[in-house]
Amino acid sequence: MKALTVSEPAGPVWRKSSHSGAGNDCVEIALAHTGASVRDSKNPEAGMLRFGTAGWATFIDAARR
């Protein structure tokens, strides 16, 4: 029986909300085991905000309120 190897992609997998429409004027998110990153979809090379797991949970909780 062969062993199953699971690995994460080489880089982040970015996605944007299905509510953003066809435009490129929103933020994108990449989730990871260690938290999440957020970037501007219009200028993805400009950098990103990185959140650790606890920081991301706090951000989402505040956004929901």
Side-chain angles (χ1 to χ4, degrees):
M1 183 184 288
K2 289 187 173 187
L4 175 65
T5 302
V6 178
S7 61
E8 289 196 16
V13 177
W14 294 96
R15 65 183 183 95
K16 59 183 175 179
S17 171
S18 60
H19 298 284
S20 65
N24 209 24
D25 54 353
C26 60
V27 295
E28 295 175 313
I29 176 177
L31 299 175
H33 294 293
T34 57
S37 297
V38 180
R39 70 180 183 185
D40 182 352
S41 64
K42 291 180 301 229
N43 194 3
E45 301 302 320
M48 67 190 88
L49 294 173
R50 292 187 178 153
F51 295 86
T53 304
W56 182 244
T58 301
F59 174 79
I60 292 298
D61 184 50
R64 286 182 177 150
R65 279 189 262 137

